[in-house]
Amino acid sequence: MQQLLDTAENIRTMEIRGAGRIAEAASAALRDYVLNIKVTNIKDFNKKVDEAASILIQTRPTAVSLPNAVQLTKRHTATEVSEAREEILRNADKFLEQAGQALEKMGEIGAKRIRDGDVIMTHCNSHAALSVITTAFEQGKDISVIATESRPRRQGLITIKELNDHGIPTTLIVDSAVRYCMKDVDTVIVGADAITINGALVNKVGTSQLALAANEARKNLLCAAETFKFSPKTIHGDLIDIEERSPEEVIDTEVLAGMPNVKVKNPAFDITPAEYIDMIITEVGAFPPQMAYTIIKEHLGWEFTKMG
Ligand code: RUB
């Protein structure tokens, strides 16, 4: 259990971050945990798996990839502990393999939307969006990137390091320079923490500002997201919880303590309505956001809609 608790803590503190990586870490943690469950009764086994699953799911509330990955990993139809364990191990291995392949596939599919000479703007640090950008570059397209800093955690610095390592010409900007710089941009590409049934995109706070600026300047906005980032529970009208993180990420605690009339609001994500999104690049194809319902139905299945 300690190992699983460590993974949960690493997700909570964002040592492991990005919706895809969180999902993979949770699936692997559950796999390793079931290997060491000692009970012989299937009811007790299921109870332990459910407890572990809920610890993982509670670490970060917004990325739907997390409950989806946990659900895909833990589901089994076995009546014996040994069979259930085997099934969960197989599920985890399959999920991890497919997640790796999805990243590659999104790169191939998304790169078709990038033209030679394009200037691409991206926000935060998305492995899915970077897969599209680096694939286009490796295909020989002469592209460059404008990357936002992404306050307060500055994940943009991870992005520029990766782009630099690929040899891709990159410009770092502060988040408030997005609208000013949009005139130089051809395409915006971002990742996703969740996509709802109505095609709305939940991603790093500031994404909706990029979308507004792109829309105003008539530039395309693409989102790269694996099918496991679509949210089945939104079929029932449930909303995605927007994670509020600690004020310490924004301002020094002592400085804040000296200003009793000031409070800090630190939402980690925001919501971009479907009408601002041109295309969602998944591992199974590029779709308009209005196709979210079909993706959920065909690639996640109705059983998922029962999830909390
Ligand atoms: C990261 C973020 C990313 C998505 C997609 O937020 O908003 O755009 O998670 O990432 P945080 P990926 O840093 O708070 O986790 O494409 O890597 O899954």
Side-chain angles (χ1 to χ4, degrees):
M1 182 50 113
Q2 192 51 48
Q3 223 178 333
L4 183 127
L5 292 175
D6 288 346
T7 302
E9 185 59 9
N10 287 340
I11 295 174
R12 202 186 57 75
T13 57
M14 291 176 61
E15 227 145 285
I16 304 171
R17 50 147 299 283
R21 292 285 151 95
I22 295 172
E24 291 175 49
S27 180
L30 205 55
R31 176 194 60 196
D32 297 345
Y33 174 68
V34 300
L35 273 173
N36 294 310
I37 297 179
K38 298 279 184 277
V39 299
T40 49
N41 175 304
I42 189 74
K43 238 174 129 187
D44 296 340
F45 176 88
N46 287 339
K47 194 163 164 250
K48 282 194 166 294
V49 172
D50 285 343
E51 279 165 11
S54 115
I55 290 171
L56 289 165
I57 289 172
Q58 278 165 25
T59 52
R60 293 199 74 188
T62 302
V64 73
S65 53
L66 183 56
N68 281 352
V70 166
Q71 185 71 4
L72 281 164
T73 304
K74 85 181 179 82
R75 65 177 168 181
H76 71 84
T77 50
T79 50
E80 298 290 330
V81 168
S82 58
E83 288 166 19
R85 184 178 283 127
E86 282 305 313
E87 238 180 283
I88 291 176
L89 298 186
R90 272 199 304 277
N91 290 343
D93 289 342
K94 186 170 160 201
F95 178 78
L96 294 170
E97 192 190 339
Q98 287 182 345
Q101 289 167 349
L103 215 50
E104 234 172 86
K105 203 76 204 149
M106 283 185 295
E108 281 166 30
I109 295 171
K112 293 182 189 164
R113 313 282 307 191
I114 309 295
R115 292 150 305 190
D116 196 38
D118 270 1
V119 177
I120 298 161
M121 183 180 278
T122 190
H123 185 51
C124 192
N125 175 254
S126 158
H127 300 89
L130 280 175
S131 175
V132 173
I133 295 170
T134 54
T135 305
F137 185 73
E138 277 153 21
Q139 288 172 349
K141 289 177 184 162
D142 175 23
I143 57 171
S144 62
V145 177
I146 298 178
T148 59
E149 179 190 18
S150 310
R151 278 275 292 154
R153 297 290 293 239
R154 307 182 84 201
Q155 292 94 329
L157 301 187
I158 308 172
T159 296
I160 58 167
K161 163 94 177 63
E162 190 158 339
L163 291 166
N164 178 69
D165 290 349
H166 274 86
I168 301 176
T170 299
T171 306
L172 174 69
I173 60 168
V174 296
D175 302 324
S176 40
V178 159
R179 184 166 178 253
Y180 177 76
C181 294
M182 192 56 78
K183 59 184 180 312
D184 304 324
V185 171
D186 297 294
T187 302
V188 177
I189 306 181
V190 293
D193 274 77
I195 295 167
T196 68
I197 185 71
N198 60 353
L201 162 66
V202 183
N203 192 47
K204 180 55 55 194
V205 69
T207 301
S208 65
Q209 287 179 161
L210 259 76
L212 270 179
N215 186 265
E216 177 192 46
R218 303 173 72 89
K219 307 295 169 77
N220 280 332
L221 186 136
L222 306 179
C223 166
E226 299 88 331
T227 49
F228 62 75
K229 301 210 180 127
F230 286 70
S231 172
K233 71 174 188 174
T234 58
I235 287 180
H236 297 299
D238 289 354
L239 299 173
I240 304 281
D241 289 338
I242 299 295
E243 178 181 3
E244 294 264 352
R245 294 190 64 88
S246 156
E248 284 163 40
E249 292 186 344
V250 180
I251 187 170
D252 183 80
T253 313
E254 276 177 29
V255 176
L256 183 64
M259 294 183 282
N261 298 317
V262 175
K263 66 177 172 136
V264 171
K265 192 168 170 60
N266 183 20
F269 301 96
D270 67 16
I271 302 157
T272 302
E275 55 267 34
Y276 292 94
I277 302 160
D278 291 286
M279 204 58 94
I280 301 178
I281 314 291
T282 76
E283 74 278 20
V284 293
F287 304 99
Q290 290 76 12
M291 290 272 290
Y293 173 86
T294 310
I295 304 273
I296 293 172
K297 185 164 167 267
E298 287 183 6
H299 295 278
L300 291 163
W302 294 120
E303 65 193 278
F304 273 77
T305 65
K306 295 188 214 117
M307 287 165 45

